[in-house]
Amino acid sequence: GTLSMRAPNILSLTTRYEKDKFDLYIPISLIEYQYPVLGFGFRVGPLYMGTNHLLELVGLRNIKGADIYLGLKFNLSNLRGV
């Protein structure tokens, strides 16, 4: 068989609470416009972490997909002294 990748259609709405050094966000998405998924994420300073599949990761729903993301944000222009 032939290997191929297919990206699903996703409709997403995200609520956010933002401060200078702290953010909380809760994305609610519809995969293929019919399978709802709930996420959760946060940022503290330059560090951010979250998931788009919160219910699956905490065991409240059968796993159809899972993810965790983690990152560090920095501004390259600060390194040049601009």
Side-chain angles (χ1 to χ4, degrees):
T2 302
L3 293 177
S4 65
M5 291 183 65
R6 185 180 160 301
N9 295 308
I10 299 173
L11 177 64
S12 186
L13 176 67
T14 303
T15 59
R16 299 180 74 94
Y17 176 76
E18 297 182 0
K19 291 291 185 182
D20 286 340
K21 303 285 182 186
F22 180 77
D23 293 348
L24 285 177
Y25 42 95
I26 301 172
I28 302 168
S29 303
L30 288 174
I31 310 293
E32 293 297 339
Y33 308 115
Q34 58 185 339
Y35 305 110
V37 292
L38 179 69
F40 176 78
F42 68 91
R43 177 188 63 85
V44 177
L47 175 70
Y48 61 92
M49 183 176 178
T51 180
N52 290 319
H53 295 274
L54 181 64
L55 299 177
E56 290 87 345
L57 289 175
V58 297
L60 296 177
R61 181 185 271 181
N62 292 334
I63 294 177
K64 292 184 180 178
D67 68 345
I68 296 174
Y69 53 85
L70 173 69
L72 187 62
K73 181 179 175 181
F74 57 94
N75 188 342
L76 291 177
S77 66
N78 290 340
L79 298 175
R80 296 185 312 197
V82 174

